[in-house]
Amino acid sequence: MKFNMRYNDQKLNEIKLLLKKNMVSQAKTAIDKYREEYPNDNQIKFYDGLLLMKTATIQKEEASKLFDIAFDIFTEVYEEKEIMSDQSLYEMGMIKVYINDFDCAIACFTKLISESSYDQTFAVIELAKCYQKKGKTTKAKEVLKEKLKSSDNKHIILALAELELQTKNTKEARRLVGLIEEEQSNFYRKVLYIKGKLATVEQEYNKAYTYLTQAQGTKKDNVYWLSQLELAKLYEKLERTADARKCYQVATRNSSAVFSNEGYLNLGLLEMKEQNFQSAKKYLQKAAASNLVLSIKAYFSLAYIAIREEEYDTCYNIIEKLETKDLNFELERSLKKLKLYTDKKVGKPTPKQDYKYTEKQIIDYSEDKAIKY
């Protein structure tokens, strides 16, 4: 029996590895075979859910339905309170992150952290990210700092450093990164990635290039693609437009919706900068069609182009779509500015205050303030 349990674990780990590599068809075959060999092992339901999640990130047109089915499967596994209960609650939270339901995701991660008898470092990090995406940066930092009171966890330190960097607190970000000892690991590649971003912000572009190329490495995992996108932004700052465009185009071919849509969004913004508005629209429309938070930035950018081209009906359509999004206070204010400006351009009555909104202010506001995944 012990041998069979180890054998089961080996088979399940093989399935997990296939899913991690986006080998969906092979994973499905392995799951079906496992179910035939071990019909009484309910653990396989958890992997059914993982398969659906992975499929949803690839088959974007079916994503909503697949995520719903996966959520129901994980809920069933969680309620059984057996071996995969914690993992299921974590994946339930991740599904809600994918569909931008951050309130529900927060509930899932909070419940997991309070209920589990195991360390839930990654649930804490995801909880902080949810607060950040809701515009509650202070709360996000508090969540991570509270965890650091009980443990000098390097993953928490790095997550806090990244958050400090995103809020332009470069001094604190540098201090936190300095607390992490150098090592040969995939984790330290993420540290190098953050160091690269920090060097870019501080305009130390040679250092940034070195860190980012080291972080990229040869393994095409998440850190590789994050570094690829950051290198593209560095090329933009160095006015190496052709290199930047090439990096973004490579990202659009990634099977992950997160990286492909990030590529489309940045290609659109790059083409806007180059005054290639027709090309920009093509890329931005693809980014806007996603369920990711970056679609908000894509819509604001499309609105700018619509105003520039005096396509005000298109602009009102975009405004309607943005009104269905979960916007924080700053983005709500930006949307109000956009609507007022469009009303003014078409001759609709506006309040008597002096609204000095320009097309440049609208796009600058969306670039600086829109929430990024």
Side-chain angles (χ1 to χ4, degrees):
M1 176 64 75
K2 288 183 180 179
F3 174 78
N4 285 340
M5 285 302 294
R6 286 199 296 270
Y7 183 67
N8 289 10
D9 289 343
Q10 180 185 342
K11 290 285 186 182
L12 293 171
N13 285 333
E14 287 172 2
I15 293 169
K16 189 181 291 186
L17 185 60
L18 289 169
L19 289 168
K20 191 173 182 180
K21 292 181 176 179
N22 291 332
M23 300 170 71
V24 173
S25 60
Q26 294 92 326
K28 184 179 185 309
T29 300
I31 287 172
D32 291 341
K33 185 177 179 182
Y34 186 93
R35 183 171 275 111
E36 289 176 8
E37 292 183 28
Y38 307 100
N40 297 322
D41 189 349
N42 285 334
Q43 288 185 80
I44 199 61
K45 286 192 292 187
F46 174 79
Y47 293 88
D48 287 333
L50 290 182
L51 177 64
L52 285 164
M53 282 182 70
K54 184 63 70 174
T55 306
T57 63
I58 297 171
Q59 297 180 7
K60 295 155 194 165
E61 66 281 355
E62 295 288 325
S64 180
K65 182 173 73 173
L66 293 171
F67 277 136
D68 285 345
I69 298 170
F71 189 86
D72 289 343
I73 289 173
F74 288 131
T75 301
E76 183 182 341
V77 176
Y78 166 71
E79 290 175 348
E80 289 173 356
K81 299 294 182 184
E82 293 183 359
I83 190 168
M84 309 301 286
S85 180
D86 282 1
Q87 295 96 317
S88 294
L89 189 51
Y90 178 84
E91 297 301 343
M92 289 161 66
M94 290 307 300
I95 287 173
K96 295 304 180 181
V97 169
Y98 285 133
I99 63 175
N100 300 332
D101 186 350
F102 298 120
D103 289 329
C104 192
I106 287 170
C108 290
F109 293 130
T110 302
K111 189 176 182 66
L112 174 58
I113 293 163
S114 64
E115 286 184 354
S116 179
S117 55
Y118 299 97
D119 178 68
Q120 293 296 337
T121 292
F122 296 105
V124 171
I125 291 171
E126 292 300 333
L127 177 61
K129 286 180 180 178
C130 287
Y131 281 120
Q132 180 199 2
K133 287 168 186 171
K134 284 178 64 67
K136 299 181 178 181
T137 306
T138 302
K139 178 63 177 177
K141 290 181 182 180
E142 288 173 359
V143 167
L144 295 171
K145 289 176 180 177
E146 184 64 29
K147 178 67 174 176
L148 284 177
K149 289 179 181 178
S150 59
S151 170
D152 290 334
N153 187 294
K154 62 185 181 182
H155 295 280
I156 299 292
I157 292 171
L158 186 61
L160 184 56
E162 188 169 14
L163 189 54
E164 295 290 4
L165 178 57
Q166 289 170 359
T167 54
K168 304 293 191 294
N169 191 355
T170 55
K171 184 177 179 180
E172 178 63 6
R174 193 187 312 108
R175 184 190 74 81
L176 288 165
V177 169
L179 297 176
I180 302 172
E181 294 183 7
E182 188 171 344
E183 60 184 59
Q184 294 293 322
S185 66
N186 283 332
F187 167 76
Y188 200 74
R189 286 172 56 221
K190 182 69 183 293
V191 177
L192 290 169
Y193 162 72
I194 298 300
K195 284 186 172 183
K197 289 185 69 173
L198 183 58
T200 301
V201 170
E202 295 176 333
Q203 298 184 356
E204 296 180 339
Y205 296 136
N206 288 334
K207 275 188 180 180
Y209 181 81
T210 300
Y211 285 136
L212 291 170
T213 50
Q214 288 176 346
Q216 225 180 359
T218 57
K219 184 179 179 182
K220 292 193 175 181
D221 55 7
N222 283 0
V223 180
Y224 174 91
W225 291 107
L226 286 168
S227 302
Q228 172 92 349
L229 289 165
E230 201 60 34
L231 272 171
K233 293 169 189 174
L234 177 59
Y235 289 141
E236 281 196 69
K237 290 182 183 296
L238 297 173
E239 298 184 353
R240 292 169 56 179
T241 304
D243 289 327
R245 186 180 285 111
K246 183 178 178 181
C247 284
Y248 289 139
Q249 286 171 340
V250 170
T252 64
R253 295 193 286 273
N254 192 291
S255 60
S256 167
V258 173
F259 296 118
S260 62
N261 283 293
E262 181 81 18
Y264 284 127
L265 174 65
N266 285 288
L267 270 173
L269 296 176
L270 177 61
E271 296 297 348
M272 285 179 68
K273 193 186 297 183
E274 295 292 306
Q275 304 287 299
N276 299 325
F277 293 107
Q278 293 309 307
S279 294
K281 279 199 290 187
K282 179 181 69 175
Y283 294 127
L284 291 169
Q285 284 164 354
K286 289 185 177 181
S290 74
N291 287 325
L292 301 172
V293 176
L294 58 77
S295 67
I296 296 171
K297 189 170 183 178
Y299 275 126
F300 273 109
S301 302
L302 285 167
Y304 167 74
I305 295 174
I307 287 173
R308 181 185 178 87
E309 297 180 344
E310 299 184 352
E311 295 178 352
Y312 300 117
D313 287 341
T314 299
C315 197
Y316 281 121
N317 288 336
I318 291 170
I319 290 169
E320 286 181 10
K321 288 173 182 174
L322 282 168
E323 286 173 341
T324 67
K325 302 286 185 179
D326 183 15
L327 306 180
N328 63 24
F329 173 76
E330 289 180 333
L331 289 170
E332 288 280 6
R333 188 171 62 179
S334 184
L335 180 59
K336 187 178 290 186
K337 285 183 178 183
L338 174 61
K339 190 173 187 306
L340 284 167
Y341 183 79
T342 310
D343 286 346
K344 189 174 181 182
K345 294 297 285 186
V346 299
K348 286 187 178 181
T350 56
K352 292 182 180 179
Q353 291 96 321
D354 183 17
Y355 295 108
K356 295 181 180 178
Y357 303 136
T358 67
E359 294 153 316
K360 187 175 187 305
Q361 282 176 312
I362 291 171
I363 187 61
D364 281 352
Y365 192 90
S366 70
E367 286 187 13
D368 291 342
K369 301 295 184 181
I371 307 170
K372 196 170 182 183
Y373 185 82

